[in-house]
Amino acid sequence: MKTFKYILLSTLFIAFYSCEDDDSNTVIEEPLPELTAGSADFSTYVAVGNSLTAGFTDNALFKAAQENATPNILSQKFALAGGGDFSLPLMEDNFGGIAFGGNRLPGFNPRLVFGGAGPVPLESVVGPVTVTTDLTSNPTGPFNNMGVPGAKSFHLLFDGYGNPAGLQTTPTTANPYFVRMASAPNATILGDAMAQSPTFFSLWIGNNDVLGYATSGGDGSNPITPVDGPPGVGFNQTYGALVTTLTSQGAQGVVANIPYVTDIPHFTTVPHNPIPLDAATATAVNQAYAEYNGGIQAALAALAGTGLFTEEEANLRMINFSAGAGNAVVIEDESLTDLGAINPAFAALPKIRQATADDLLVLTASSFIGTEAVPGNPLTVNGVAVPLADRWVLIPSEQAEIKTAIDAFNATIKATATQAGLAFVDANALLNQLANGGISSNSFTLNSSLVFGGAFSLDGIHPTARGNALIANEFMKAIDATYSSNFEASGNLVDIGNYPTNYSPTLQ
């Protein structure tokens, strides 16, 4: 009997600790709440913006990229919370590029692909392709995604932006992407968006108001939009008019601001000192610059004590190359002192210097630096014997202009969003975080490195599909905060790992 009692106690003892072990190792997960739209009405969602809205990727617009655009990702989640259909102005192929009557439009070429070391044109890998997106055969709207690559803020109000005749003018006044989408030749982007009576909208505009100036190296061919001026001219009044119109029928919405150009790889990938030279070439180039360097020293001596030309600037303008890697490129710099205007004896001295780490070379300069203007002649190498023109470089003063404009535009976007009660996405802070350590989501970490960072496509400006997914999640979080929806709490943010970081050259 005693034996049985001890056996029973032992069994109970083991069972007790077994239960404790089970309890300590079992995590009981609370069920996620059901998705709710809160006070938001997603029944008719219209996205308004530029290339970031359209899904432009790898320097082109093509079907797969459009389907992975931020608004399309959002629309799929909105559909779970009362949203309706979301129509896209899909391109005809996955090549990219646009034709008009069978002839390619200059500047609207097939997409870039990864060539093993960096971005290369699609046709350099797969051979010639036939671009099938032709403006003589356009899709029929209305379209919920009204993102038009290349559009600046004031273009959303311009009633000739979709007129095919404007493609024949000099300069052109129409945009071929909007020509494909416009309901009529005199339609406006904003008007076609409003014709759908949106209940909810997204507006991400303003990037091109500064980006065109930046990508052209600040050479003046594509000026920054003025901060002030009437709607259709100045950014502040134009942006206010856009939001006033979009909300005029009671629509709710989400807006995003503008990132700094210093946070995107188009301006941070090409180093200022990429030139390797052998000893013979370095000696030859230095001999070629000897007369120029002597002229700089003569100017410094002649202007000593006047305060018109400092020793610091003279040292900056001296050109010197050495054998080996790490030679800085020679650039034009319009901010340098015009020595000829001070003394005609120095009129022949150009405004040139070697670049420093404070200069930003545009990504497209990588295909130009080191090429020979005269094949076989090392004294005609671009960036060495031939200074890089303004369009290839953003000098510090140009960067300051861009930052000042972005700060002003972003202040307007934030204030307008607050006044209208709209959700707000700080895209500027998001891209800054990508550039400074990266962002982790669903076991993936994205950063702003070209090709391998995962966030930016091969043009160094536009997001990858995975980058768009990350941005879509930020939009949903902002909508949750403003309209009491619960995309995040209900587990309805997207898994960014389900979206690619690049597209195969053979994508069909």
Side-chain angles (χ1 to χ4, degrees):
M1 202 60 184
K2 278 186 177 181
T3 302
F4 176 78
K5 181 173 70 174
Y6 290 138
I7 293 174
L8 179 60
L9 287 173
S10 298
T11 303
L12 290 172
F13 184 81
I14 293 170
F16 175 78
Y17 275 94
S18 295
C19 289
E20 281 207 332
D21 285 345
D22 288 344
D23 289 344
S24 64
N25 292 323
T26 301
V27 177
I28 301 175
E29 295 186 1
E30 293 290 333
L32 294 174
E34 290 187 10
L35 175 63
T36 174
S39 60
D41 181 357
F42 300 121
S43 55
T44 304
Y45 166 46
V46 176
V48 181
N50 50 37
S51 53
L52 296 172
T53 295
F56 198 92
T57 298
D58 296 334
N59 206 39
L61 193 67
F62 50 98
K63 288 172 64 176
Q66 289 175 285
E67 290 166 344
N68 285 325
T70 294
N72 204 42
I73 295 171
L74 289 174
S75 72
Q76 293 164 6
K77 292 300 181 178
F78 291 170
L80 304 176
D85 293 335
F86 192 76
S87 175
L88 306 174
L90 287 173
M91 305 290 278
E92 296 298 328
D93 55 45
N94 276 315
F95 301 137
I98 299 178
F100 196 1
N103 299 311
R104 288 190 192 177
L105 289 180
F108 296 86
N109 300 313
R111 61 191 171 95
L112 300 173
V113 296
F114 182 57
V120 297
L122 172 68
E123 291 176 300
S124 70
V125 175
V126 302
V129 300
T130 299
V131 172
T132 58
T133 300
D134 197 300
L135 296 181
T136 58
S137 178
N138 296 324
T140 301
F143 301 106
N144 296 84
N145 192 329
M146 296 297 298
V148 178
K152 299 185 179 184
S153 59
F154 53 84
H155 287 141
L156 274 59
L157 305 175
F158 178 44
D159 61 4
Y161 206 48
N163 189 337
L167 298 176
Q168 310 299 323
T169 62
T170 304
T172 58
T173 57
N175 182 312
Y177 295 108
F178 189 50
V179 168
R180 297 186 71 243
M181 300 164 57
S183 60
N186 63 343
T188 66
I189 298 173
L190 182 61
D192 278 4
M194 290 303 298
Q196 300 176 64
S197 299
T199 61
F200 197 89
F201 68 88
S202 60
L203 175 64
W204 196 1
I205 197 70
N207 297 68
N208 290 329
D209 292 73
V210 292
L211 188 62
Y213 179 79
T215 55
S216 59
D219 66 1
S221 62
N222 197 334
I224 297 172
T225 299
V227 174
D228 292 307
V233 177
F235 182 84
N236 287 355
Q237 289 84 340
T238 297
Y239 196 85
L242 293 173
V243 170
T244 296
T245 301
L246 285 165
T247 57
S248 62
Q249 298 174 6
Q252 304 154 315
V254 56
V255 303
N257 65 4
I258 305 168
Y260 291 136
V261 297
T262 51
D263 291 333
I264 60 179
H266 188 85
F267 302 97
T268 60
T269 299
V270 180
H272 75 284
N273 56 347
I275 304 293
L277 294 176
D278 58 38
T281 303
T283 298
V285 174
N286 285 336
Q287 290 173 346
Y289 276 111
E291 182 178 353
Y292 163 81
N293 286 338
I296 292 295
Q297 290 302 313
L300 180 63
L303 298 172
T306 66
L308 299 175
F309 187 46
T310 66
E311 184 174 0
E312 180 183 15
E313 182 178 340
N315 291 336
L316 179 67
R317 292 174 71 158
M318 296 291 286
I319 307 296
N320 181 63
F321 288 91
S322 58
N327 285 287
V329 295
V330 180
I331 64 172
E332 295 179 359
D333 182 348
E334 70 275 15
S335 70
L336 296 174
T337 301
D338 186 347
L339 295 172
I342 299 173
N343 186 334
F346 305 116
L349 292 174
K351 295 182 179 182
I352 61 173
R353 62 176 174 83
Q354 284 181 283
T356 73
D358 292 328
D359 298 302
L360 298 179
L361 276 64
V362 298
L363 182 61
T364 47
S366 62
S367 62
F368 182 74
I369 294 171
T371 61
E372 295 175 342
V374 178
N377 185 348
L379 294 182
T380 64
V381 174
N382 292 302
V384 181
V386 180
L388 296 182
D390 192 4
R391 69 179 181 274
W392 301 109
V393 187
L394 282 177
I395 60 177
S397 60
E398 292 166 340
Q399 296 171 44
E401 287 181 69
I402 293 167
K403 184 178 184 301
T404 297
I406 290 174
D407 286 342
F409 294 171
N410 282 350
T412 295
I413 293 170
K414 176 63 173 174
T416 305
T418 300
Q419 184 176 7
L422 302 174
F424 171 75
V425 176
D426 192 347
N428 185 291
L430 180 70
L431 269 67
N432 182 265
Q433 190 176 348
L434 284 171
N436 293 281
I439 298 175
S440 297
S441 175
N442 298 105
S443 74
F444 294 93
T445 298
L446 303 184
N447 63 56
S448 63
S449 297
L450 187 69
V451 180
F452 302 109
F456 284 92
S457 72
L458 297 172
D459 57 34
I461 295 174
H462 301 92
T464 61
R466 189 168 295 178
N468 278 321
L470 180 73
I471 293 167
N473 282 342
E474 295 304 310
F475 271 67
M476 283 187 279
K477 291 176 186 179
I479 293 168
D480 283 351
T482 301
Y483 298 108
S484 299
S485 53
N486 66 343
F487 290 103
E488 183 174 19
S490 63
N492 274 285
L493 299 183
V494 298
D495 183 344
I496 67 170
N498 292 333
Y499 297 83
T501 58
N502 62 80
Y503 294 100
S504 166
T506 59
L507 177 69
Q508 297 297 314

